[in-house]
Amino acid sequence: MPTDLEIAYRCAPVIVQKVNSANPRGDFIAREDFTEEGNLASLTRNWAAVNETDPPAKTKKDWKAIIKRDPIPFKYKLLPHIYYSVVETHTHYFIMYAVYHPQDWESPETAWNFKGPRWKKTEHEHDMEGALVIAGKRGPLEKLRPDAMITISHWWFYSYANWKLKNEAGKEVLVFDDPTENRFRGSRVNKEDLDGNLWAVWHVDEDGEQIMRPRLYVQAKGHGIRGDKRDWGRGDREIRYCPSLKEADEPSFFGGVRPDPAIQLLYKDSLKERGGWHAEEKREVCRYKLINILEPTTGLWANKDNPEVFLVNDDKGQDCFVAHESPGGKRLEAGSAKPPWSWDDCDDAHADGELALQPAHIVYNYLGGMREFSFEYVRSAYLGI
């Protein structure tokens, strides 16, 4: 029986992230406890430490001088990690991937003035959005692959299914053109449309194994996640992240791109297995590691009742990561960034958090065309099963 980590790694996406030059480290994918790894209570100061340098930048003039140095003496590394959880029914795995960013930001002043006055109303400390991947059971682990996914972008969910690539003539074709395959469509149950296809990427990992993965596209600043480039934004630099069971690589930005050839070759975009490397994809590629949301003592779910990690936001009625009341303030208050068990689509009929807590229910109501589908959970730490 495969472990949760093996399942999550097998189905993990390649993430294509837009990063804005005014505050790139606010856009980097990270783990919540980057100032003190393993101590979730320390996340109340993480947002303020994103761009902290040693020596610290006390003025904008200091900041401009420091960022001309190469390498810049940032006090903390922002190593990319993706949070995951696995829920299982008799027919499917439902794998949640939650992507954390230190800041949801807008103002170009945010980068250097991280200890200054409160940000704009649209900005907030911490940010977390992500995707639910649906994978039908096909026997051995090497046959496991995503069949569909639902992503969260701000206040809406978007659904994607049916693997596609462009053939040699540039025409979009189904990767698995087999009558026994599911043909997903929008669901009549919930009047939800299918928003797009799964766009295939061939990922060659450190052991030389080639795995087909879906792409996720992440916006800069607000970090909405889609399975396509709609509303992805123009301009900004792109950083690609691929999963690894071994290492996580901090992106390079201020000091310029220094691609490691070994890491660069972890990413392959191919029409078929015989396809070649695509020059357009030979950009900075970083590896991310996976962290289990459901880890019994240190995981996010285990800390759901810890008031130093999560508090209920009275305006939203949902769990949110804590934030300081004001810079230097002692009293904690709920922020705006939500963990997966509080994610919600603003105009569907589902309750908050169903994407994590009742994935079979929401998937059935978002996606049609599934041949076999069980609602009975055989494993879900969220539900104590």
Side-chain angles (χ1 to χ4, degrees):
M1 180 177 177
T3 66
D4 283 1
L5 180 57
E6 288 172 332
I7 293 167
Y9 175 74
R10 195 77 196 180
C11 295
V14 167
I15 297 172
V16 192
Q17 163 82 56
K18 288 279 191 181
V19 179
N20 188 277
S21 61
N23 182 24
R25 284 170 65 88
D27 284 335
F28 283 179
I29 294 173
R31 55 184 297 161
E32 283 96 336
D33 51 351
F34 61 81
T35 62
E36 190 178 344
E37 188 173 317
N39 180 11
L40 286 175
S42 71
L43 66 85
T44 53
R45 61 184 295 268
N46 279 0
W47 69 274
V50 178
N51 290 300
E52 190 171 344
T53 56
D54 189 12
K58 296 181 179 180
T59 67
K60 193 171 185 177
K61 184 177 179 181
D62 289 344
W63 171 254
K64 287 184 176 181
I66 288 174
I67 63 174
K68 290 181 181 179
R69 296 169 61 180
D70 188 9
I72 298 171
F74 288 111
K75 190 172 181 179
Y76 300 102
K77 282 193 172 184
L78 299 182
L79 296 175
H81 288 73
I82 302 296
Y83 292 80
Y84 77 92
S85 64
V86 177
V87 171
E88 180 182 355
T89 66
H90 291 287
T91 57
H92 287 80
Y93 296 112
F94 301 90
I95 310 112
M96 178 66 71
Y97 297 97
V99 185
Y100 173 81
H101 298 86
Q103 301 166 334
D104 183 310
W105 66 281
E106 181 179 346
S107 169
E109 301 294 300
T110 299
W112 77 271
N113 199 24
F114 51 86
K115 292 182 181 178
R118 195 69 174 176
W119 303 343
K120 294 182 178 180
K121 189 174 182 180
T122 53
E123 298 180 310
H124 55 81
E125 303 94 333
H126 313 298
D127 199 13
M128 180 169 271
E129 300 185 42
L132 177 72
V133 166
I134 302 98
K137 295 180 179 179
R138 290 183 170 83
L141 181 67
E142 56 269 21
K143 291 188 177 181
L144 185 66
R145 66 168 186 267
D147 290 306
M149 64 184 182
I150 298 173
T151 72
I152 178 171
S153 181
H154 311 303
W155 304 278
W156 295 277
F157 294 160
Y158 296 92
S159 55
Y160 301 88
N162 305 319
W163 288 94
K164 277 195 174 181
L165 278 173
K166 290 184 179 180
N167 64 14
E168 290 83 347
K171 182 180 178 182
E172 294 178 4
V173 295
L174 286 169
V175 177
F176 303 105
D177 193 10
D178 186 316
T180 64
E181 286 288 326
N182 288 322
R183 288 291 181 265
F184 291 95
R185 59 180 186 273
S187 175
R188 297 174 183 173
V189 177
N190 209 35
K191 297 183 179 179
E192 292 286 346
D193 295 326
L194 194 64
D195 294 292
N197 303 111
L198 297 179
W199 291 102
V201 167
W202 293 107
H203 167 216
V204 181
D205 68 14
E206 296 99 326
D207 296 324
E209 185 176 9
Q210 183 169 293
I211 303 174
M212 189 177 67
R213 302 189 182 278
R215 303 181 199 228
L216 288 181
Y217 293 91
V218 184
Q219 298 169 330
K221 300 183 178 181
H223 310 130
I225 298 180
R226 299 279 294 265
D228 54 37
K229 293 184 178 181
R230 280 179 287 181
D231 299 323
W232 193 35
R234 297 185 177 182
D236 301 324
R237 190 168 123 201
E238 299 171 17
I239 295 177
R240 285 160 168 74
Y241 300 86
C242 56
S244 172
L245 295 173
K246 298 180 179 180
E247 299 291 340
D249 308 300
E250 184 178 42
S252 168
F253 196 98
F254 288 99
V257 180
R258 304 184 190 90
D260 181 329
I263 297 173
Q264 191 176 43
L265 296 181
L266 291 173
Y267 187 91
K268 185 179 180 182
D269 186 7
S270 145
L271 299 176
K272 294 184 179 180
E273 288 193 11
R274 66 175 181 271
W277 300 99
H278 285 224
E280 66 184 50
E281 304 295 358
K282 286 191 175 182
R283 303 173 187 176
E284 184 170 10
V285 176
C286 300
R287 291 170 290 185
Y288 68 79
K289 293 185 73 173
L290 292 157
I291 302 177
N292 195 344
I293 295 171
L294 302 173
E295 192 69 34
T297 56
T298 60
L300 296 181
W301 180 247
N303 282 273
K304 65 183 182 301
D305 297 321
N306 183 344
E308 292 186 309
V309 180
F310 297 108
L311 288 171
V312 174
N313 185 314
D314 292 334
D315 292 335
K316 303 176 184 296
Q318 299 164 314
D319 282 355
C320 291
F321 291 104
V322 298
H324 283 117
E325 180 182 15
S326 59
K330 295 182 178 179
R331 185 172 67 84
L332 298 179
E333 63 177 11
S336 296
K338 302 183 290 293
W341 58 86
S342 285
W343 287 348
D344 183 39
D345 182 286
C346 65
D347 61 1
D348 71 4
H350 292 274
D352 298 348
E354 281 196 27
L355 208 62
L357 304 177
Q358 293 286 346
H361 181 220
I362 196 169
V363 166
Y364 181 79
N365 285 352
Y366 264 72
L367 295 167
M370 291 172 284
R371 295 177 181 276
E372 295 182 351
F373 192 80
S374 169
F375 289 93
E376 184 179 359
Y377 297 105
V378 296
R379 192 158 50 106
S380 172
Y382 291 114
L383 302 179
I385 302 173

